[in-house]
Amino acid sequence: MQTKELPESGSSLAMKALGWGTLYAVSGFSVFCFGVWKMMGVKNLEEFRLKIGNILPKIPKSENPGRSDFKSVRELMHYVIEERRPLHKLTEAKSNFNRTEKDEGSFNSLKQVLTTSSVLIYPRTDYGFILDTDASIEGIGTVLSQKIGNKERLFQQEFG
């Protein structure tokens, strides 16, 4: 709303600034990309990908360090408990924090298992939800999952 003192409202000015900023950012990056494309002398995206692939360093692919196929969240949790046992020793009182190759292997295995798509999913409204809870003196935990086919798939977990 305009007034005599203020010709435009704050939100109107903010939207105008956002619009111009977006235009400048997209235009500037487009010109940059066009310049790189022309300097490289490529004719299509595949040729561009091959040239860039030769310039950038190669990232070696590693073997899967752990399991990724679980029938239920309970089976996953048993696996996590067994795999984290060496890591838990690092957190005990009066222990030296010396991470060994075995500890590194356990960590990488857990990371792979907890971030793989066969474990984590997006919720589906056409299936029912399963809420598992657990509590002890040390903390509270919940896992929200769904049974799809013959596998229980995890999509949210909270530990506190």
Side-chain angles (χ1 to χ4, degrees):
M1 175 180 344
Q2 291 182 340
T3 65
K4 284 186 176 182
E5 296 83 29
L6 296 173
E8 290 185 70
S9 69
S11 61
S12 170
L13 286 172
M15 288 302 293
K16 203 180 277 189
L18 183 61
W20 282 107
T22 302
L23 176 69
Y24 288 143
V26 169
S27 300
F29 190 69
S30 298
V31 168
F32 172 77
C33 290
F34 181 75
V36 169
W37 182 277
K38 286 299 182 185
M39 285 192 301
M40 291 182 75
V42 295
K43 295 180 179 39
N44 56 36
L45 281 175
E46 187 169 339
E47 192 177 336
F48 177 77
R49 185 183 64 79
L50 289 173
K51 280 194 174 186
I52 289 294
N54 290 333
I55 294 170
L56 296 175
K58 302 281 186 247
I59 299 173
K61 295 189 178 191
S62 61
E63 291 294 316
N64 184 351
R67 275 182 68 181
S68 64
D69 190 27
F70 299 94
K71 292 182 181 154
S72 68
V73 173
R74 187 171 304 279
E75 186 179 340
L76 167 68
M77 289 300 137
H78 283 296
Y79 180 78
V80 167
I81 289 167
E82 289 303 315
E83 280 296 314
R84 78 176 186 95
R85 203 173 299 272
L87 296 174
H88 188 268
K89 290 179 183 173
L90 295 174
T91 64
E92 291 176 352
K94 298 181 185 176
S95 70
N96 292 333
F97 189 83
N98 295 325
R99 206 157 134 177
T100 64
E101 288 294 320
K102 185 177 181 184
D103 300 330
E104 189 69 28
S106 291
F107 174 76
N108 288 333
S109 177
L110 281 175
K111 182 171 72 171
Q112 175 68 29
V113 165
L114 294 174
T115 59
T116 185
S117 63
S118 69
V119 175
L120 299 174
I121 64 163
Y122 289 107
R124 293 183 52 182
T125 57
D126 54 335
Y127 287 93
F129 294 92
I130 301 168
L131 177 64
D132 293 308
T133 60
D134 191 18
S136 69
I137 292 174
E138 295 181 17
I140 297 173
T142 62
V143 175
L144 192 56
S145 60
Q146 289 183 306
K147 188 162 189 167
I148 301 173
N150 64 346
K151 293 183 178 178
E152 192 174 338
R153 304 291 183 146
L154 170 72
F155 66 88
Q156 183 176 351
Q157 61 185 1
E158 295 290 330
F159 300 103

